[in-house]
Amino acid sequence: MQTDAQEGYVAAARVGIPPHHRACFMKENNRFYSLMHAVCAGHGYCGGMHGDKFMDVIDFIPQSGNVTADQFVEWVFLAEYENETERMSPRWDRHRQRIRDFFAEHMGSDAVDASQLKWEVES
């Protein structure tokens, strides 16, 4: 019997973890880092290949405006699965709910300004 994590796990080695993810593991722990750690390292949703380009959730977050937990979840799955049938499969419903919960837990709300969904850059 597989656990929820094993069922949805996508090995990071399959597509590679983008350099900005690896670099952030050395940065100060903040809310967005914690969220992304839960989503990627904890659940295996680190993004995926779309044609010849690697995409992750960061590629879908707008520069400004409010972002809801539901939008974030949609973008996580959009980044992970190029194939719409796979992306929309009901078998991932528990994972979608967990990621929604992660968003609210780590970001402190069901909606935040897009500026809060960025890696902190050290000056």
Side-chain angles (χ1 to χ4, degrees):
M1 178 175 181
Q2 289 185 323
T3 66
D4 289 342
Q6 290 168 328
E7 179 183 313
Y9 179 74
V10 177
R14 179 181 70 141
V15 293
I17 297 176
H20 59 275
H21 281 236
R22 290 191 298 267
C24 288
F25 291 129
M26 297 180 283
K27 293 186 187 306
E28 179 181 333
N29 190 4
N30 60 52
R31 292 184 306 160
F32 184 63
Y33 165 81
S34 295
L35 171 63
M36 293 302 292
H37 185 78
V39 170
C40 180
H43 238 62
Y45 292 103
C46 302
M49 293 302 293
H50 293 254
D52 62 350
K53 183 178 180 191
F54 182 86
M55 304 286 290
D56 73 13
V57 68
I58 304 294
D59 297 314
F60 298 98
I61 297 172
Q63 293 296 316
S64 62
N66 277 343
V67 173
T68 67
D70 287 333
Q71 287 173 309
F72 183 80
V73 169
E74 180 182 336
W75 297 329
V76 165
F77 277 81
L78 190 59
E80 189 70 30
Y81 299 108
E82 183 176 27
N83 179 296
E84 185 174 358
T85 303
E86 180 68 16
R87 183 171 63 244
M88 302 308 292
S89 172
R91 73 179 177 186
W92 306 124
D93 287 349
R94 286 183 299 175
H95 292 245
R96 286 184 187 88
Q97 185 58 51
R98 281 220 173 127
I99 294 170
R100 273 186 208 93
D101 294 343
F102 289 154
F103 185 95
E105 175 186 340
H106 292 281
M107 300 310 295
S109 177
D110 288 335
V112 298
D113 188 81
S115 65
Q116 294 183 42
L117 299 173
K118 305 288 181 208
W119 298 114
E120 288 187 358
V121 179
E122 295 179 48
S123 343

